[in-house]
Structures are given as C-alpha cells and as structure tokens.
Amino acid sequence: MAIFSVYVVNKAGGLIYQLDHYAPRADTEKTFSFPLDLVLRPHDERVVVAFGQRDGIRGPCPRRLFAIGSQLSPEVGSSGIEMLETDTFKLHCFQTLTGIKFMVLADPRQAGIDSLLRKIYEIYSDFALKNPFYSLEMPIRCELFDQNLKLALEVAEKAGPFGPGS
Amino acid sequence: MSRPPGRKQENHKISRELVVLTYGALVAQLCKDYEKDEDVNTCLDRMGYGIGVRLIDDFLARSAVKKCRSYSETADMIAQVAFKMYLGVTPSVSCSSAAGNEFSLILDKNPLVDFVEELPAERASLCYCNLLCGVIRGALEMVHLAADVTFLQDRLKGDAVTEIGITFLRKAEDRKHKRN
C-alpha cells in the first residue's frame, strides 16, 4: 500500500505544493509535452477515463484535469473530477469551498484517502494559512507543513487497505 | 487540531483574558497611531480582512459544513457555527430586507468588550470591534460572496444592542458554477 504523491493547487490552477512520497520504480525517463492522450471507455455504466500511457509513464496536469473533467461529466453542474481510477493508480481530488484543490495519487488498494484529504486540508489551514509570512496562493514552503503532511501520509499508509473511510 | 509531529494530543487553550487584552492593546495602539476614528476603523477592518481570508479555511476544515444554498443559510452559519466556534457566543439572526440579502446579527454578549465600559469622548465614532466586520467580509469573499459588513448599532456608543449588518452584494444566481 502506498501513497505516491500529494499535490495542492490554488484557485488560479497553479501548483503550489508537490510531494513525491513514493515513486514507483522507473525503467525509462522521457520528456513529454501536454496534453496527454485521454481515452474514454464505458465500464459498469460509468464512464471511465483510461489514461493514455506512453511507455508506462504518466504525468498529472491538475488544471486541465479539472477543466476537462467538468465538461466530460454526464452529470449537470459537475464541479470537476473527484476520483480518477486506472490499473496502476487512483487519483483522488478534494476541492474546498474556497477553491483550493488537494490531490492524492495513491495505490488503487489504498483506503482512507477521503479522510486523508480532509486531514491535509486541516494541515494546510494550520501550518500554511496560520503562518503570517505565507502569502495566499503562493507556493507553500513551510517546514511544519512538510513535516505534518509526511506524518499524516505515514499514518494513512499504515492503515493500509482496511483504513477508515475510502 | 494538528500538532507538531511526535507530540500527543494536548488541550491547547489560551486564556480568554490574554486574547481580550491583546485586542485592547491593538485598538489602543491604533488610537495612538491615527488621529481620526475613521482611520482606526479602516485599519481594524483591513486587519480583520487579513484574518478572515485565512480563518475561513480553518472554519471549513474543522466544521466540515456543506455549501450554503442561500444567503439566509450563510447568515445562520456565521451566527450559529462560526461565532460559536471562535468567540463562544451565538448572535441571533434576522433578515432585514425584502430582497433577502441583508441580515442583522444581534450580539447579546461580546467577549472582546467585556472589560470596556464606554468609548472615550474624543473617540465617539470608533467601532471598537470593527476587526470582526473585516473577518466576516474576508471570509465571505474567499467563498465567492461579496458583502458589506458594518456595525449598525454598538452598546459602547450608547445603543441598546450591538448589531452587525451583513449585506450580500451579488445575486444568488451568480453563485452557480463558481467552482473551477
């Protein structure tokens, strides 16, 4: 069970924080340009987005994911992607009412991501927002935020596939 | 509440007196720095705004409330959940316009003025708790609700009650599709 990465995206769609917690073993290294190919496939009465994979390497593009997600959704009034599932990973997104987006890339069997996302929101509101020298919407460079986030990830990983919530 | 790593859950309570004294010291210093009451009020509002834009995420993270679907729900949320959470008091809410976008919060108790008797004669137009107006305004703005927040009545100025007026500036229909 593993959590691969955590991303925090601000209101404007800019990436303000990234943590690569666990990188799957990489056999090759390549540079890609965006957008990545997206393939839609119907599956169990849901529309599943199968990420186009090139040579086994994938990359996220948070702003495009949200913009595309809202338009792809068959539901009216959709606000974006909450979860993207593939064979090798699950991307979970949580959007706050203030427009901040927290995204966690994890092993598909990892449970407890919902409560982890809310925990990350608490950590953000504590160690980023309450730091008077942190400017809103800017990249988060707060040591306490890093430390507490890593601690939360460890707790979530230990809970494994039987953790609280999903 | 998140703690520094490795520490067990502790009950972090700061003394209410310290908060009240700190706020009083802040207002007193602003009164020394600025001659006009309007300038002090503006400064308090601006400071409050800076607090509000940060406090809103703390409020949303801890209270886990759902999105409000009307101005009335929002005003109730501010009075019954937010004020309770941060100041320990619950003002009563009333709608003061037919259009449904103006609300009044009547504060029976206000911990920030517990030790303040009345305003000095030369500071008759001072809004002592104007920080609160800025906090509410900043917090609402971060959830895409523009509002004017002012003190309509103030016990410190001799009025019967302390009343905060919130006027929502945008129509409810504009709140659709604001999540991007």
Side-chain angles (χ1 to χ4, degrees), chain B residues 15 18 42 66-67 74 85-86 101 107 132 167 170:
Chain B
S15 131
L18 182 59
T42 305
K66 296 275 176 279
K67 187 164 148 180
T74 309
M85 198 189 279
Y86 293 110
N101 68 329
L107 279 108
L132 293 181
T167 304
R170 240 178 259 146

Side-chain angles (χ1 to χ4, degrees), chain A residues 19-144:
Chain A
L19 176 71
D20 290 318
H21 186 60
Y22 166 75
R25 192 171 44 97
D27 293 318
T28 54
E29 196 178 274
K30 275 201 174 166
T31 310
F32 291 102
S33 60
F34 289 110
L36 294 173
D37 308 315
L38 278 178
V39 174
L40 277 179
R41 222 188 288 141
H43 176 77
D44 283 348
E45 293 175 20
R46 290 179 305 153
V47 174
V48 172
V49 179
F51 236 78
Q53 289 199 18
R54 267 192 242 165
D55 305 320
I57 296 176
R58 80 284 185 272
C61 185
R63 184 173 24 174
R64 283 180 192 265
L65 278 178
F66 268 80
I68 292 169
S70 305
Q71 291 173 29
L72 283 178
S73 172
E75 294 289 318
V76 173
S78 161
S79 55
I81 293 178
E82 276 184 10
M83 205 240 298
L84 196 80
E85 186 173 351
T86 74
D87 294 332
T88 48
F89 68 85
K90 251 187 190 175
L91 173 70
H92 302 251
C93 309
F94 171 58
Q95 185 170 251
T96 69
L97 292 173
T98 49
I100 307 285
K101 296 165 261 285
F102 298 96
M103 306 182 11
V104 170
L105 206 68
D107 190 292
R109 295 158 295 173
Q110 179 71 46
I113 300 290
D114 265 4
S115 54
L116 173 65
L117 282 167
R118 275 142 191 81
K119 180 77 188 151
I120 297 177
Y121 188 21
E122 269 185 43
I123 295 174
Y124 166 76
S125 81
D126 278 344
F127 298 104
L129 293 185
K130 293 196 182 85
N131 180 345
F133 304 112
Y134 167 68
S135 312
L136 261 55
E137 306 292 287
M138 298 305 285
I140 301 173
R141 297 195 208 289
C142 308
E143 189 59 46
L144 284 174

Side-chain angles (χ1 to χ4, degrees), chain B residues 20-179:
Chain B
V20 174
L21 275 170
T22 304
Y23 188 73
L26 177 77
V27 177
Q29 187 59 47
L30 286 176
C31 288
K32 286 196 190 110
D33 293 342
Y34 297 99
E35 267 188 38
K36 290 199 198 143
D37 293 344
E38 294 75 45
D39 292 337
V40 179
N41 293 339
T42 305
C43 202
L44 282 171
D45 183 82
R46 213 180 314 128
M47 281 190 206
Y49 178 84
I51 294 173
V53 297
R54 293 168 184 260
L55 198 68
I56 180 67
D57 277 309
D58 180 82
F59 172 70
L60 292 172
R62 276 174 226 304
S63 64
V65 293
K66 296 275 176 279
K67 187 164 148 180
C68 290
R69 286 157 305 175
S70 66
Y71 291 141
S72 167
E73 247 184 81
T74 309
D76 285 339
M77 185 73 69
I78 294 172
Q80 289 156 13
V81 189
F83 264 83
K84 183 97 185 101
M85 198 189 279
Y86 293 110
L87 285 174
V89 295
T90 311
S92 53
V93 187
S94 60
C95 182
S96 50
S97 84
N101 68 329
E102 286 177 30
F103 295 87
S104 280
L105 271 56
I106 310 270
L107 279 108
D108 281 329
K109 282 189 290 183
N110 182 358
L112 292 178
V113 303
D114 269 351
F115 307 123
V116 183
E117 207 180 13
E118 57 179 17
L119 296 174
E122 64 274 15
R123 290 286 176 191
S125 334
L126 177 69
C127 290
Y128 187 82
C129 291
N130 219 32
L131 193 96
L132 293 181
C133 294
V135 173
I136 297 172
R137 186 170 63 87
L140 286 173
E141 194 173 297
M142 293 301 275
V143 287
H144 316 286
L145 287 172
D148 265 341
V149 189
T150 51
F151 271 93
L152 300 175
Q153 296 190 78
D154 197 345
R155 271 217 190 99
L156 289 181
K157 292 182 182 162
D159 296 320
V161 292
T162 300
E163 184 184 349
I164 297 178
I166 304 177
T167 304
F168 292 98
L169 299 175
R170 240 178 259 146
K171 287 192 221 143
E173 292 81 66
D174 293 337
R175 293 172 65 204
K176 272 190 304 190
H177 303 304
K178 57 180 166 63
R179 279 158 137 226

Side-chain angles (χ1 to χ4, degrees), chain B residues 1-4 7-15:
Chain B
M1 187 166 161
S2 302
R3 301 276 181 265
R7 288 174 64 177
K8 285 198 188 148
Q9 285 276 338
E10 285 169 40
N11 211 358
H12 278 286
K13 277 205 158 81
I14 292 187
S15 131

